[in-house]
Amino acid sequence: MIDNKFKHISDSQVVINELMLPSHSNFNGKIHGGYILSLLDQIAFACASKHSRAYCVTASVDTVDFLSPIEIGELVTMRASVNYVGRSSMVIGIRVEAENIQSGEVKHCNSSYFTMVAKDENGKSIAVPGLILENDHDIRRFVKSIKRNKMKSNRKREFHETDFSSKEYLHILEDHNVKLL
């Protein structure tokens, strides 16, 4: 019997490989970060849609850490997994590696977390299946997503504070490269 209320993480994982071409490069001869972001959004969509069996939209890009540049001619592999599920949202964790296909050297280039939301045909958010956590690694990724969500909520709240007075925060500027007029 298939349980549609919960899914294994492996049921929704997606892997893509793409050879990096000169047309993907920036003026410095490295692969353009915007191109990588586009691929990240595509794989996050595929992973979230596979998990929810619904159309999904990108709600936020929580973290994108560019760790190492990607060179023209390298084979990029992106691995996406559902790290966390809420009622209608999912956090998709993506690991990007680039392989020099001549030497076989593989480097970790990027780690990213996209929050995706499942939608129905009318654009309304819909419930997604829960996750079956099978080991400590799965639990750690789920808990880290909860912590990132809390930090994101705190950032949103602080950003929208209306009682901001610059005089209260002047001490924060002391260690930064600014000049007050």
Side-chain angles (χ1 to χ4, degrees):
M1 182 173 154
I2 297 175
D3 184 358
N4 291 327
K5 292 184 180 186
F6 293 91
K7 291 177 85 171
H8 292 272
I9 291 171
S10 60
D11 293 338
S12 306
Q13 290 176 322
V14 177
V15 177
I16 62 171
N17 295 292
E18 186 167 334
L19 184 65
M20 294 295 105
L21 303 174
S23 60
H24 305 141
S25 67
N26 60 25
F27 294 112
N28 199 29
K30 308 297 183 196
I31 300 306
H32 196 286
Y35 183 71
I36 298 300
L37 285 170
S38 174
L39 292 176
L40 289 168
D41 194 47
Q42 290 175 42
I43 195 170
F45 169 83
C47 184
S49 295
K50 191 173 178 183
H51 181 78
S52 65
R53 294 289 178 218
Y55 178 75
C56 294
V57 297
T58 306
S60 69
V61 179
D62 301 322
T63 306
V64 178
D65 293 324
F66 291 101
L67 306 172
S68 184
I70 299 171
E71 307 290 336
I72 295 169
E74 289 184 323
L75 181 64
V76 167
T77 300
M78 294 187 175
R79 291 179 176 81
S81 294
V82 179
N83 288 4
Y84 168 86
V85 295
R87 193 194 74 73
S88 62
S89 67
M90 297 152 279
V91 173
I92 309 301
I94 308 164
R95 180 180 174 92
V96 180
E97 296 177 337
E99 178 182 359
N100 179 314
I101 55 178
Q102 293 174 327
S103 70
E105 180 186 348
V106 177
K107 60 186 175 184
H108 179 201
C109 298
N110 187 300
S111 290
S112 303
Y113 301 96
F114 280 56
T115 299
M116 308 296 287
V117 176
K119 300 285 186 173
D120 67 13
E121 56 278 349
N122 298 315
K124 301 286 185 195
S125 297
I126 59 172
V128 300
L131 277 183
I132 298 170
L133 304 178
E134 299 182 51
N135 53 49
D136 286 343
H137 180 69
D138 296 346
I139 294 167
R140 180 184 56 79
R141 290 182 356 180
F142 196 94
V143 170
K144 282 190 166 192
S145 292
I146 292 170
K147 288 182 176 184
R148 269 193 307 279
N149 284 342
K150 285 182 181 178
M151 288 188 305
K152 185 167 59 170
S153 293
N154 289 339
R155 278 194 317 269
K156 280 183 184 177
R157 184 180 30 66
E158 287 177 9
F159 182 77
H160 292 292
E161 283 181 354
T162 56
D163 62 347
F164 178 81
S165 168
S166 62
K167 290 183 174 136
E168 287 180 58
Y169 297 97
L170 285 177
H171 68 281
I172 295 173
L173 300 177
E174 292 172 359
D175 294 331
H176 292 76
N177 190 16
V178 296
K179 180 178 182 177
L180 299 174
L181 297 178

